[in-house]
Amino acid sequence: SGYGAPGGDDFEWALSMVASLGVHLVGAGFLLQLRESGPTQLVAPTEAGGGTGHDMEFLESLARAQLVPDHLRADHSAGTQSDLRGPLFAVLARPSDESLQWIASQRDSNEHGIALVIDAHASSASEALRRAGWQCIAVRTTDDPAEVWAAALDDSGVSGEALARPRFAEEGESHVVA
């Protein structure tokens, strides 16, 4: 929830951005874990290296994704059972207070978190996430996901070359929170 009407600009842009992030990170050699505030709809790309066709199931799951009410269950608690850590990316518009708390809690103190917040709704969500240690970037639904990706790298002080190497985590895992 929080993306407006089904088929609206906020939701469609968020799906495009998650696709861009997922394909890029897996192509750069990261393991990708997706965390959703609603019931699980997305399938993470399963194989690094890009171009192998294993990202098709991921992209198809994005094409089928629907707006659904938040469903923050006990298994959506902060962190994961995994010891793997890496950069986190959140893509959001108007999260509920409960979802915003959940998103903020996903970042461990030693993880780099970048939140891409659709700018018409950025002020309160961005402020809450900044207090939780996230770097927030206001975006517009007219922004090209590739340009936002480049801006996120520039604003974080991380070069594209550095992100291409899994230097954020020993195991090279990244997370996308949607």
Side-chain angles (χ1 to χ4, degrees), residues 11 14 22-23 34 60 64 67-68 73-74 85 87 97 121 138 151 153 156 164 168 171 176:
F11 185 61
V23 170
L34 299 173
E60 288 171 356
R64 289 188 305 270
L67 286 174
V68 294
R73 305 176 308 267
R85 298 285 179 238
D97 290 342
H121 321 290
L153 292 176
S156 69
F168 287 97
E171 301 295 330
V176 177

Side-chain angles (χ1 to χ4, degrees), residues 32-94:
L32 187 68
Q33 179 185 68
L34 299 173
R35 300 177 189 173
E36 302 175 59
S37 61
T40 301
Q41 297 184 65
L42 305 180
V43 176
T46 57
E47 187 172 302
T52 62
H54 292 282
D55 54 358
M56 288 307 297
E57 191 173 358
F58 167 62
L59 296 173
E60 288 171 356
S61 72
L62 285 165
R64 289 188 305 270
Q66 299 177 31
L67 286 174
V68 294
D70 292 338
H71 189 70
L72 301 173
R73 305 176 308 267
D75 62 334
H76 273 84
S77 61
T80 65
Q81 304 302 324
S82 173
D83 290 332
L84 302 176
R85 298 285 179 238
L88 271 75
F89 296 89
V91 181
L92 58 133
R94 293 175 297 279

Side-chain angles (χ1 to χ4, degrees), residues 37 70-73 95-105:
S37 61
D70 292 338
H71 189 70
L72 301 173
R73 305 176 308 267
S96 66
D97 290 342
E98 182 181 22
S99 289
L100 190 56
Q101 287 180 309
W102 175 77
I103 292 166
S105 73

Side-chain angles (χ1 to χ4, degrees), residues 116-163:
L116 305 174
V117 186
I118 297 174
D119 71 352
H121 321 290
S123 60
S124 62
S126 291
E127 182 58 33
L129 290 172
R130 280 189 189 102
R131 283 192 308 267
W134 286 76
Q135 172 196 347
C136 296
I137 299 172
V139 298
R140 294 179 298 272
T141 58
T142 56
D143 291 340
D144 181 295
E147 291 174 7
V148 171
W149 176 244
L153 292 176
D154 289 344
D155 286 353
S156 69
V158 176
S159 70
E161 181 180 308
L163 190 57

